[in-house]
């Protein structure tokens, strides 16, 4: 099929998912509320000592972001699977991996990107310095798409299962570890006033790798789950 | 009836399909050319839906080959999918989108059919002025007709339909049968499963019963 | 063994348990599978 | 049923051949393990630094090697099964998962037991042990996914995808854990590998490594035969075999 129709299908699917999300606006808040709630639990558990909180803040916020992203993954294919439109994607005239990429980008725009809006607030809650909050935003910007891309593989593998959610975390969380390590450490390092270009380049590398490879894996997984 | 050249259209050879260890069907061969309709019969669970999903390329046959214009459909991939349209048990209609939006999406995913605008397709299934009505507000019969209207907005040569008449009243069935007749007259192809009889008066019909 | 005997022998004991378990599980499953299949075939013979 | 059998040998063929290899593999494996044990426990000298606790290495290091080796074999077999629809490759892949998980678990347990005399704590966030722990989660993920899908063929193909994605991620995870480890632990080189290796220490290590590989082949063939019986239970040769047994 010509690239024109490919771009049109890509844009169409992106428009459709954003429109669907817009029509159920209230659900957009769920990942954000979860993100804030989980982060506020930690000081209650660890105690309010600012120095201690500042030390553990990067790890806490990034683990909370990771969990928020993972919990919102189920919506990527679940509703399409139940009403049969996922089958229509499988037999569309466009390669499935491109359609999958459109859906994952839409999912990131709906659930991943908004985390950046709330992140500075949480940074203040945990006494983080200005530099580390800036680093937090940068790492979230680079990291959350990777979470959506890799998570989509897990969702595609478990879309046909009745209780796939439990297994999804076991499949996906180990694959999130590199993002967590580089991102959390970037925030901690910038807090100490050191440059974090190495971390950001590694995160960018993970992003490029997952943008190019994971849609293929997700498409293959969908074809198997629906066979 | 256009002379059926040797390898145009769908050509199935020795298809076999297993479900958890029972052979649903085996050594199934048939050929479907322009203007021909394949009507699948058989009791529930005899593999009708599985065969349709194999025809769509969504499921690998456990054995045998399926060719479209002489080429294996799994090697063709999206090229083959541009030639087919499928309506399964589930309508594939998004409840939160309007009828027009659903059709615009279907048109974008397939090869757009210039002959039918969204409006014309809706009129053809007698969903006049329903373009901006949310699918959730349509009756089951209307949603089914909307799903079938999807067939019109793409240039699909082969229509693959699983129980197209479910939740349709007699008038709805007449509309759909006239759609089929036009499609076949225009050189299209049809593969359909249905419990009640499909009256395609003079079309060239191939009947396969999977439960014999 | 220089006082570390407990650590060394416990490691080898655990290794033995894991290896033996890996060998025994397929053997036991095989017996169960053959029994299950035999029963199924008898069932099929009774009502063709 | 051409596509069904166009792989290496038919399931029946595989069942018979694997069956004939199993006794030999078992014997060779037992001999090698006993020889390795003898070398490791009797011949190998006491280490001047660690005394005798280093002898745990003869179990820990080979099982760590095996845990990675089996995952790669599983991913490769899964890929072959997916690309060429070879049923036997799928069977080998899924039969390997529990064995790999066992070796990973063994590597973790012996690693932490070995750590106790060296560092006084049962668990140390050493780069290798942490990677091993994550590898265990990858194995558990594969096994959980296989268990969750009812249809065996779909389950095998889905786990193949997961194994391939996993094997691509293993070097990335390992590198990121190494990076993380050098940050928090500082440059103290945790000599988890073989200490300054004396030839009499190297022999048992290599002997055990070979013995574990044979052990893997033995058990994977046993499990694969089982899986073949299960999948081919309608075939005539299985029915005759069941009647005979």
């Amino acid at each position: 099929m010509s690239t024109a129709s490919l771009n049109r299908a890509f844009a169409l699917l992106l428009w459709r998912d954003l429109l669907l999300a817009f029509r159920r606006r209230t659900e957009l808040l769920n990942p954000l509320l979860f993100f804030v709630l989980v982060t506020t639990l930690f000081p209650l558990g660890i105690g309010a000592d600012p120095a201690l909180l500042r030390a553990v803040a990067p790890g806490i916020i990034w683990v909370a972001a990771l969990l928020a992203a993972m919990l919102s993954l189920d919506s990527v294919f679940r509703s399409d699977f139940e009403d049969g439109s996922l089958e229509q994607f499988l037999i569309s005239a466009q390669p499935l991996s491109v359609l999958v990429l459109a859906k994952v980008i839409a999912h990131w725009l709906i659930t991943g990107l908004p985390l950046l809006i709330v992140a500075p607030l949480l940074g203040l809650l945990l006494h983080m310095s200005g530099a580390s909050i800036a680093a937090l935003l940068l790492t979230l910007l680079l990291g959350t798409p990777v979470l959506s891309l890799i998570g989509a593989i897990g969702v595609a593998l478990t879309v046909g299962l009745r209780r796939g959610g439990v297994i999804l975390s076991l499949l996906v969380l180990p694959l999130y570890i590199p993002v967590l390590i580089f991102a959390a450490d970037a925030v901690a390092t910038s807090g100490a006033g050191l440059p974090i270009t190495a971390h950001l380049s590694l995160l960018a590398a993970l992003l490029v790798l997952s943008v190019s490879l994971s849609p293929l894996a997700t498409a293959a997984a969908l074809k198997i789950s629906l066979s | 009836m256009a002379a059926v050249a040797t390898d145009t259209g769908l050509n199935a050879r020795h298809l076999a399909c297993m479900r958890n260890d029972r052979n649903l069907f085996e050594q199934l061969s048939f050929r479907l050319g322009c203007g021909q309709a394949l009507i699948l019969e058989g009791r529930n669970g005899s593999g009708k839906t599985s065969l349709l999903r194999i025809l769509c390329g969504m499921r690998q046959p456990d054995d045998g080959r399926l060719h479209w214009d002489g080429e294996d459909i799994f090697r063709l991939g999206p090229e083959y999918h541009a030639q087919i349209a499928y309506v399964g048990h589930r309508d594939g209609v998004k409840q939160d989108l309007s009828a027009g939006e659903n059709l615009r999406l279907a048109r974008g995913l397939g090869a757009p059919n210039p002959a039918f605008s969204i409006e014309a397709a809706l009129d053809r299934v007698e969903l006049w002025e329903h373009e901006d009505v949310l699918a959730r507000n349509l009756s089951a019969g209307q949603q089914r007709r909307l799903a079938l209207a999807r067939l019109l907005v793409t240039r699909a040569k082969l229509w693959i339909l699983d129980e197209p008449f479910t939740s349709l009243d007699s008038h709805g069935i007449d509309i759909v049968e006239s759609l089929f007749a036009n499609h076949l007259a225009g050189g299209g192809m049809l593969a359909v499963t249905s419990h009640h009889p499909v009256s395609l008066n003079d079309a060239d019909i191939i009947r396969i019963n999977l439960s014999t | 063994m220089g006082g570390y005997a407990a650590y060394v022998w416990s490691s080898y004991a655990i290794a033995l348990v894991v290896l033996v378990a890996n060998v025994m599980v397929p053997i036991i499953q095989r017996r169960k599978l053959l029994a299950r299949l035999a029963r199924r075939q008898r069932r099929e013979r009774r009502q063709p | 049923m051409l596509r069904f059998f166009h792989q290496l040998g038919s399931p029946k063929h595989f069942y018979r051949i694997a069956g004939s290899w199993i006794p030999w593999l078992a014997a060779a494996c037992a001999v090698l393990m006993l020889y390795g044990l003898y070398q490791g426990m009797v011949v190998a000298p006491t280490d001047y630094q660690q005394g005798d606790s280093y002898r745990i290495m003869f179990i820990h290091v080979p099982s760590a090697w095996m845990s990675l080796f089996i995952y790669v074999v599983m991913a490769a077999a899964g890929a072959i099964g997916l690309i060429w629809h070879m049923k036997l490759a799928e069977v080998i892949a899924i039969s390997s998962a529990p064995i790999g998980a066992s070796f990973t678990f063994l590597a973790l347990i012996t690693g932490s037991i070995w750590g106790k005399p060296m560092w006084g704590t049962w668990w140390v966030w050493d780069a290798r042990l942490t990677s091993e722990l994550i590898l265990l989660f990858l194995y558990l993920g594969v096994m959980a996914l296989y268990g969750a899908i009812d249809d065996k063929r779909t389950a095998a193909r889905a786990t193949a995808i997961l194994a391939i994605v996993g094997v691509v991620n293993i070097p990335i995870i390992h590198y990121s854990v190494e990076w993380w480890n050098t940050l928090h632990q500082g440059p103290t080189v945790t000599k988890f590998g073989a200490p300054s290796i004396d030839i009499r220490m190297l022999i048992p290590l290599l002997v055990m490594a070979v013995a574990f590989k044979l052990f893997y082949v033995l058990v994977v063939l046993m499990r694969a035969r089982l899986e073949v019986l299960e999948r081919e239970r309608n075939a005539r040769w299985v029915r005759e075999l069941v009647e005979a047994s």
Side-chain angles (χ1 to χ4, degrees), chain B:
Chain B
M1 204 51 63
V4 179
T6 50
D7 60 2
T8 59
L10 205 59
N11 180 358
R13 290 205 299 271
H14 321 303
L15 286 183
C17 179
M18 298 229 296
R19 183 178 298 144
N20 50 46
D21 68 7
R22 213 163 41 75
N23 246 331
L24 293 177
F25 51 81
E26 212 175 359
Q27 298 304 339
L28 179 65
S29 298
F30 60 87
R31 187 188 299 277
L32 194 59
C34 295
Q36 288 187 315
L38 167 68
I39 296 183
L40 285 177
E41 287 141 350
R43 47 172 172 63
N44 280 346
S46 59
K48 298 199 297 289
T49 302
S50 303
L51 177 57
L52 286 188
R53 290 175 72 86
I54 290 174
L55 295 186
C56 288
M58 273 195 276
R59 176 183 175 137
Q60 300 263 356
D62 285 285
D63 193 22
R65 283 278 176 281
L66 195 54
H67 287 273
W68 173 263
D69 292 350
E71 183 69 47
D72 187 307
I73 65 167
F74 290 100
R75 207 167 299 117
L76 282 173
E79 267 172 63
Y80 170 64
H81 291 147
Q83 307 281 340
I84 65 171
Y86 170 69
V87 178
H89 288 299
R90 293 176 293 214
D91 292 338
V93 163
K94 292 304 283 185
Q95 300 301 313
D96 289 334
L97 291 180
S98 71
E101 283 159 354
N102 270 297
L103 289 186
R104 197 176 322 137
L105 182 73
R107 175 200 287 267
L109 288 182
N113 180 1
F116 271 96
S117 71
I118 306 280
E119 196 65 31
L122 285 173
D123 294 349
R124 187 66 182 73
V125 290
E126 293 180 10
L127 285 171
W128 294 289
E129 303 310 325
H130 280 68
E131 182 154 352
D132 51 4
V133 174
L134 285 186
R136 136 191 344 281
N137 303 332
L138 297 175
S139 72
Q142 289 172 321
Q143 287 203 19
R144 196 64 180 165
R145 276 188 272 141
L146 175 59
L148 292 165
R150 263 208 319 266
L151 301 170
L152 301 171
V153 292
T154 57
R155 277 202 315 272
K157 199 154 184 284
L158 167 61
W159 287 359
I160 301 175
L161 306 161
D162 203 343
E163 307 291 346
F165 301 132
T166 44
S167 65
L168 283 183
D169 54 25
S170 62
H171 178 53
I173 291 176
D174 297 342
I175 297 173
V176 173
E177 276 176 348
S178 73
L179 282 188
F180 291 167
N182 292 354
H183 180 63
L184 292 173
M189 297 144 71
L190 188 64
V192 67
T193 64
S194 177
H195 281 302
H196 24 81
V198 183
S199 66
L200 293 165
N201 26 45
D202 57 358
D204 177 353
I205 291 177
I206 305 163
R207 287 188 191 281
I208 293 181
N209 192 319
L210 286 182
S211 50
T212 47

Side-chain angles (χ1 to χ4, degrees), chain A:
Chain A
M1 292 312 288
S2 67
T3 50
S5 64
L6 190 62
N7 299 341
R8 196 157 24 82
F10 183 88
L12 208 56
L13 205 50
L14 200 56
W15 158 77
R16 181 202 86 149
D17 271 15
L18 295 178
L19 185 63
L20 282 172
F22 182 73
R23 293 217 168 128
R24 282 202 225 91
R25 279 186 297 283
T26 49
E27 283 176 24
L28 292 182
L29 291 177
N30 297 349
L32 293 183
L33 293 180
F34 178 87
F35 184 34
V36 173
L37 188 59
V38 168
T39 310
T40 47
L41 289 182
F42 280 91
L44 301 174
I46 300 174
D49 164 24
L52 175 62
L53 285 183
R54 195 175 301 117
V56 294
I60 290 176
I61 292 185
W62 251 98
V63 166
L66 200 126
L67 294 177
M70 199 200 63
L71 285 177
S72 63
L73 277 177
D74 209 44
S75 66
V76 175
F77 295 125
R78 178 67 60 192
S79 64
D80 288 338
F81 174 76
E82 271 145 14
D83 61 29
S85 33
L86 200 52
E87 284 169 345
Q88 297 300 327
F89 296 156
L90 254 71
I91 59 149
S92 79
Q94 316 301 345
L96 183 57
S97 48
V98 173
L99 301 181
V100 159
L101 187 59
K103 279 201 69 64
V104 170
I105 290 175
H107 172 262
W108 173 62
L109 290 173
I110 297 163
T111 56
L113 207 52
L115 299 184
L116 275 78
I117 303 166
V118 185
L121 165 73
L122 299 180
L124 296 180
L125 285 183
L126 300 177
H127 307 290
M128 282 170 70
S129 67
S132 50
I133 289 182
L136 176 64
L137 290 176
L138 262 174
T139 51
L140 280 173
L141 185 64
L142 282 173
T144 44
V146 179
L147 302 182
S148 295
L149 283 160
I150 295 180
I153 302 174
V155 177
L157 286 169
T158 56
V159 70
L161 307 181
R162 287 169 305 286
R163 24 145 188 71
V166 179
I167 289 184
L168 180 63
S169 46
L170 180 60
L171 302 188
V172 162
L173 283 180
L175 305 179
Y176 278 175
I177 286 171
V179 174
L180 173 63
I181 288 176
F182 294 135
D185 186 60
V187 179
T189 314
S190 77
L194 301 171
I196 54 169
T197 44
H199 303 80
L200 296 182
S201 51
L202 282 166
L203 280 174
L206 284 178
L207 177 56
V208 167
L209 189 69
S210 39
V211 164
S212 46
L213 293 183
S214 63
L216 299 172
T218 310
L222 278 179
K223 285 180 183 144
I224 290 171
S225 298
L226 263 75
S227 76

Side-chain angles (χ1 to χ4, degrees), chain D residues 40-228:
Chain D
M41 284 307 164
V42 177
V43 174
T46 307
D47 180 65
Y48 63 91
Q49 232 180 1
Q50 292 182 28
D52 289 301
S53 67
Y54 85 95
R55 295 178 195 277
I56 299 175
M57 166 184 82
F58 300 134
I59 295 285
H60 173 71
V61 174
S63 37
W65 287 343
M66 284 309 287
S67 62
L68 189 59
F69 169 76
I70 292 176
Y71 200 96
V72 172
V73 167
M74 179 169 70
I80 292 170
L82 267 181
I83 296 164
W84 290 291
H85 302 297
M86 282 167 75
K87 250 170 57 57
L88 279 179
E90 277 174 25
V91 165
I92 298 286
I94 204 51
S95 306
S96 308
I99 311 168
S102 310
F103 276 121
T104 317
F105 171 76
L106 188 56
L108 277 172
I109 293 286
T110 49
S112 81
I113 292 178
W114 190 4
K116 184 74 171 101
M118 264 208 279
W119 292 297
T121 62
W122 284 109
W123 177 258
V124 63
W125 286 96
D126 161 76
R128 250 183 294 273
L129 274 182
T130 314
S131 298
E132 203 69 37
L133 181 62
I134 299 167
L135 185 58
L136 183 63
F137 291 139
L138 292 180
Y139 271 113
L140 296 178
V142 166
M143 287 156 64
L145 183 63
Y146 186 73
I149 299 175
D150 308 329
D151 172 48
K152 281 285 165 268
R153 282 301 306 273
T154 320
R157 293 169 69 210
T159 40
I161 294 271
L162 184 61
I164 293 165
V165 170
V167 86
V168 168
N169 273 284
I170 283 179
I172 300 170
I173 290 172
H174 190 72
Y175 172 77
S176 57
V177 168
E178 292 275 346
W179 162 296
W180 166 81
N181 188 272
T182 53
L183 292 183
H184 295 280
Q185 195 115 25
T188 58
V189 176
T190 50
K191 278 291 292 165
F192 237 94
S196 50
I197 196 73
D198 172 325
I199 184 67
R200 283 167 300 169
M201 295 180 186
L202 188 59
I203 291 173
L205 193 61
L206 298 182
V207 165
M208 290 304 271
V210 173
F212 276 12
K213 283 208 168 31
L214 284 180
F215 182 81
Y216 162 63
V217 177
L218 168 70
V219 179
V220 83
L221 289 185
M222 288 167 74
R223 281 182 177 274
R225 292 176 84 222
L226 212 58
E227 187 72 21
V228 162

